[in-house]
Amino acid sequence: MKSFTPVLMFVACIAGCADPGPEGAPDAAAVKTQALEVVAESERQWTGVAVTREGRVFVNFPRWSPEVPVSVAELQADGALAAFPDQGWNAWSPGSDPTSVWVCVQSVVADGEGSLWVLDPANPGFAGVVPGGPKLVEIDIPTGAIIQTIRFDNTVAPSESYLNDVRLDHLHATAYITDSGLGALVVVNLATGASRRVLADHPSTKAEDTVLVIGGEPWLRPDGSAPQVHADGIAYDRARDLVYFQALTGRTLYRISGAALRDPALDE
């Protein structure tokens, strides 16, 4: 597969921004003054970037190889990485206790309410889930204190699963997670920690027969086969209580009512 350098860019108002136009839309003249600014670069892939309202930037490196410098870090002004919430959480090694460390982090999300949420599928190198490792952790950003840790057993995160991304619905105290390894959604009650796996046997969470093209070339394994990545991208529309999701190797975007996902009376 081709390698690349992840680049983090923000939209910056280089020459000043005019007031928003009707209904909050930016004025056309203001848009022309905006440009992308490179904030940081990395030779190793980030799969998550989270930016707080205060401008603090957090990234994560999935453990897809043994040479991961850190799992979760805050980007410093000089581009250096500061382990978050501390070095201890970033000190996992094969065979050690996976419960209170980052095993293989895939996603970091700042919720706008002072917390950073870290999703750890605990499947390093896609070699299988480390028992006791899968978790969703809420961290208080100002202090770095762990607020809560929600753990997933093998009924929610089976051995070949790869919990991929998470979106938060604070109004209903719920998190919605995709599983790109086997194809499913995971619904988490943030108040009780109860979780359940849904749509695991439904075509909406499965990869389609398609090949991704990156930089004009097909994305293929060394043996020439095309990777099949299941439910991956996810978004939550708070205004309409809808969850959108799509397989990475797929062309169809699906949506489902958040109320349906939260209803324990409905089967999976």
Side-chain angles (χ1 to χ4, degrees), residues 23 45 74 88 93 104 106 125 167 179 185 200 203 223 245 268:
E23 300 180 1
Q45 186 174 357
E74 181 176 3
S93 60
C104 176
Q106 177 66 20
R167 290 296 176 265
D179 171 10
L185 299 184
D223 64 4
F245 57 99
E268 76 90 23

Side-chain angles (χ1 to χ4, degrees), residues 12-197:
C13 292
I14 302 301
C17 293
D19 293 332
E23 300 180 1
D27 181 79
V31 172
K32 292 181 180 179
T33 70
Q34 297 177 353
L36 290 177
E37 174 188 355
V38 177
V39 176
E41 296 177 299
S42 171
E43 294 181 355
R44 206 165 277 282
Q45 186 174 357
W46 300 315
T47 53
V49 176
V51 183
T52 71
R53 296 183 189 275
E54 297 74 30
R56 296 176 67 176
V57 181
F58 297 89
V59 298
N60 74 266
F61 298 82
R63 198 179 297 274
W64 291 347
S65 69
E67 295 81 25
V68 174
V70 65
S71 289
V72 179
E74 181 176 3
L75 281 176
Q76 305 298 292
D78 61 359
L81 296 169
F84 193 81
D86 54 39
Q87 191 59 49
W89 269 87
N90 286 270
W92 179 81
S93 60
S96 63
D97 184 356
T99 56
S100 297
V101 291
W102 309 130
V103 178
C104 176
V105 173
Q106 177 66 20
S107 182
V108 289
V109 175
D111 65 5
E113 298 185 7
S115 291
L116 183 74
W117 296 78
V118 180
L119 180 62
D120 184 358
N123 190 336
F126 305 103
V129 169
V130 175
K135 52 192 170 288
L136 177 65
V137 181
E138 180 186 8
I139 306 171
D140 180 65
I141 293 175
T143 66
I146 305 299
I147 297 175
Q148 66 172 323
T149 300
I150 298 173
R151 305 189 187 281
F152 305 117
D153 62 20
N154 62 4
T155 66
V156 175
S159 177
E160 296 180 8
S161 69
Y162 194 91
L163 302 181
N164 189 286
D165 209 349
V166 57
R167 290 296 176 265
L168 301 161
D169 168 14
H170 284 305
L171 180 62
H172 301 99
T174 303
Y176 310 100
I177 298 172
T178 48
D179 171 10
S180 62
L182 292 172
L185 299 184
V186 172
V187 184
V188 185
N189 185 318
L190 298 177
T192 66
S195 307
R196 71 176 189 137
R197 188 177 177 86

